[in-house]
């Protein structure tokens, strides 16, 4: 029975999303999430007022394996060459597709190449390229910040029934109706199209932070519940319990589990499975869970989504 319960957890995790990439010097924490650090400081410091001798010293002082440093330099040079050869539309596309590449190493290398230019025209081209890339990256920063602020407000709205007037967050909430209100809020916001990937990333970032802090078990459980309620809402939008006029009992039972609160699962297992009082075998339930996972993966991948690890829901 524990294995089946774990399978249901896995299914609930499949329709949620999280993808976080980190690169030193290119990301910072903001409101529990991470956003790109503005490249302005690098452009200004490397192209305005810092002498070339000091820049070369900075380049030579880089620590690490020389072979890896050389490979990194080659990668940056390829990116710079591609940006120089691209038209304005292509430059924007390259920057957006490789946004994490524009860290301090990129700006140092770009400044170093500018120093080696033999003509003022070439040097000006590099400075204009730096300004263009900086502008695009800063635009991404601002849009990301706005998106995080919006996602944070949405999450606060969902959690409000459980945290309003509460000095210390505990789980389950003292008011049993709070969970029902949270679920209604999630359903309504999902209908309005507010629960997008930015929202899921915000929940996941807050969840990881709560795990790292280790002193907020109530918040951790609450955020896990938000992900479970979201997954159940999405999975419940489409039913596979009927084939024509025939009811597929195993599918119907699975959909009952998805919609039910987790604390009711044990009773549902006992009443529905043949190992208890029911007529659905564990193998039948496992088969429809596997099938639903496959359908969910196909549907969400086709929509360009990725998934939150099942551990975030446990």
């Amino acid at each position: 029975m524990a294995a089946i319960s774990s399978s249901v957890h896995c299914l609930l995790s499949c329709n949620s999303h999280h993808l976080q990439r980190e690169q030193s010097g290119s990301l910072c924490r903001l409101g529990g999430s991470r956003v790109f650090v503005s490249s302005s400081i690098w452009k200004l410091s490397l192209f305005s007022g810092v002498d070339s001798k000091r820049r070369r010293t900075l380049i030579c002082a880089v620590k690490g394996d020389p072979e890896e440093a050389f490979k990194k330099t080659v990668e940056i040079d390829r990116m710079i060459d591609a940006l120089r050869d691209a038209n304005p539309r292509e430059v924007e596309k390259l920057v957006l597709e490789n946004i994490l590449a524009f860290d301090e190493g990129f700006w140092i290398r770009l400044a170093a190449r500018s120093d080696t230019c033999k003509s003022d025209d070439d040097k000006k081209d590099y400075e204009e390229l730096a300004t263009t890339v900086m502008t695009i990256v800063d635009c991404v920063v601002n849009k990301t910040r706005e998106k995080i602020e919006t996602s944070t407000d949405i999450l606060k709205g969902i959690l409000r029934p459980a945290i309003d007037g509460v000095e210390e967050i505990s789980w389950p909430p003292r008011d049993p109706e709070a969970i029902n209100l949270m679920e209604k809020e999630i359903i309504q916001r999902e209908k309005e199209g507010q629960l997008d990937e930015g929202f899921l990333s915000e929940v996941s970032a807050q969840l990881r932070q709560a795990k790292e802090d280790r002193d907020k078990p109530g918040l951790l459980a609450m955020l896990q519940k938000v992900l479970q309620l979201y997954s159940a809402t999405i999975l419940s939008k489409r039913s596979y319990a009927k084939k024509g006029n025939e009811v597929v009992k195993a599918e119907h039972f699975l959909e009952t589990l998805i919609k039910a609160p987790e604390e009711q699962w044990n009773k549902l297992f006992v009443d529905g499975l043949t190992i208890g009082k029911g007529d659905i075998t564990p193998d039948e339930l496992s088969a429809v869970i596997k099938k639903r996972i496959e359908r969910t993966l196909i549907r969400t991948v086709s929509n360009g989504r990725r998934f939150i690890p099942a551990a975030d829901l446990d």
Side-chain angles (χ1 to χ4, degrees):
M1 190 169 299
I4 295 174
S5 179
S6 177
S7 297
V8 176
H9 268 297
C10 181
L11 172 61
L12 288 174
S13 73
C14 283
N15 210 50
S16 303
H17 162 274
H18 174 68
L19 176 63
Q20 284 279 346
R21 294 182 58 188
E22 297 182 10
Q23 184 166 332
S24 175
S26 61
L27 298 176
C28 71
R29 186 171 295 281
L30 176 65
S33 297
R34 294 181 182 269
V35 297
F36 302 105
V37 172
S38 172
S39 56
S40 308
I41 187 172
W42 283 104
K43 192 268 181 181
L44 292 174
S45 65
L46 295 175
F47 286 89
S48 305
V50 179
D51 61 271
S52 60
K53 181 178 180 181
R54 183 180 177 188
R55 286 202 297 268
R56 283 192 291 270
T57 302
L58 287 172
I59 296 170
C60 294
V62 173
K63 296 180 180 180
D65 179 42
E67 184 176 351
E68 290 300 317
F70 176 75
K71 289 180 181 178
K72 177 66 175 177
T73 301
V74 171
E75 291 176 3
I76 295 174
D77 280 341
R78 287 174 179 169
M79 175 61 66
I80 293 173
D81 291 339
L83 290 167
R84 291 194 67 194
D85 294 338
N87 60 44
R89 187 182 294 264
E90 291 171 341
V91 168
E92 181 177 352
K93 186 172 183 291
L94 279 170
V95 173
L96 294 176
E97 289 177 347
N98 301 277
I99 194 71
L100 291 178
F102 302 100
D103 57 7
E104 63 269 35
F106 172 85
W107 296 107
I108 291 173
R109 182 58 182 169
L110 188 60
R113 286 185 53 162
S114 176
D115 286 342
T116 63
C117 291
K118 297 181 179 179
S119 70
D120 290 340
D121 286 342
D122 286 343
K123 190 177 186 69
K124 187 176 180 180
D125 287 343
Y126 276 111
E127 292 178 354
E128 290 178 352
L129 176 63
T131 299
T132 299
V133 173
M134 176 200 71
T135 301
I136 298 171
V137 173
D138 282 349
C139 182
V140 173
V141 171
N142 293 331
K143 287 184 177 180
T144 303
R145 184 180 294 112
E146 292 172 2
K147 188 67 176 175
I148 287 174
E149 291 172 353
T150 301
S151 299
T152 301
D153 290 340
I154 291 172
L155 179 57
K156 287 179 180 177
I158 292 172
L159 296 177
R160 189 171 291 115
I163 62 178
D164 266 3
V166 177
E167 294 183 2
E168 184 176 348
I169 298 175
S170 61
W171 194 262
R174 294 182 179 87
D175 181 7
E177 184 63 17
I179 297 178
N180 294 332
L181 293 174
M182 286 172 58
E183 184 173 13
K184 289 178 181 179
E185 190 74 17
I186 286 175
I187 292 172
Q188 181 59 36
R189 290 180 181 271
E190 196 281 327
K191 288 180 180 178
E192 296 172 358
Q194 297 182 19
L195 306 188
D196 56 11
E197 296 198 9
F199 164 76
L200 292 173
S201 293
E202 174 65 14
V203 178
S204 295
Q206 296 287 357
L207 188 60
R208 282 196 311 280
Q209 186 62 47
K211 287 181 178 179
E212 291 173 6
D213 293 343
R214 296 185 179 182
D215 60 350
K216 300 175 182 177
L219 178 60
L220 181 63
M222 190 178 298
L223 292 169
Q224 289 172 333
K225 190 65 176 181
V226 168
L227 292 180
Q228 290 174 356
L229 290 173
Y230 167 82
S231 298
T233 298
I234 299 301
L235 290 169
S236 298
K237 291 176 66 175
R238 182 176 300 188
S239 174
Y240 298 92
K242 281 190 176 182
K243 282 188 177 180
N245 295 324
E246 179 185 353
V247 175
V248 182
K249 291 184 178 181
E251 289 280 10
H252 182 268
F253 181 62
L254 173 60
E255 290 174 8
T256 301
L257 287 171
I258 290 173
K259 295 177 182 178
E262 185 179 351
E263 56 269 19
Q264 295 181 12
W265 284 1
N266 283 341
K267 184 177 185 305
L268 289 171
F269 285 141
V270 171
D271 292 342
L273 297 177
T274 53
I275 56 177
K277 305 174 185 177
D279 55 2
I280 298 170
T281 67
D283 286 343
E284 289 174 332
L285 178 58
S286 295
V288 294
I289 289 175
K290 182 179 179 181
K291 185 65 176 178
R292 186 66 66 95
I293 289 174
E294 292 172 352
R295 287 167 170 159
T296 302
L297 289 173
I298 291 172
R299 190 167 69 251
T300 49
V301 169
S302 67
N303 291 334
R305 288 187 174 181
R306 295 176 178 84
F307 318 108
I308 289 179
D312 284 355
L313 294 172
D314 293 340

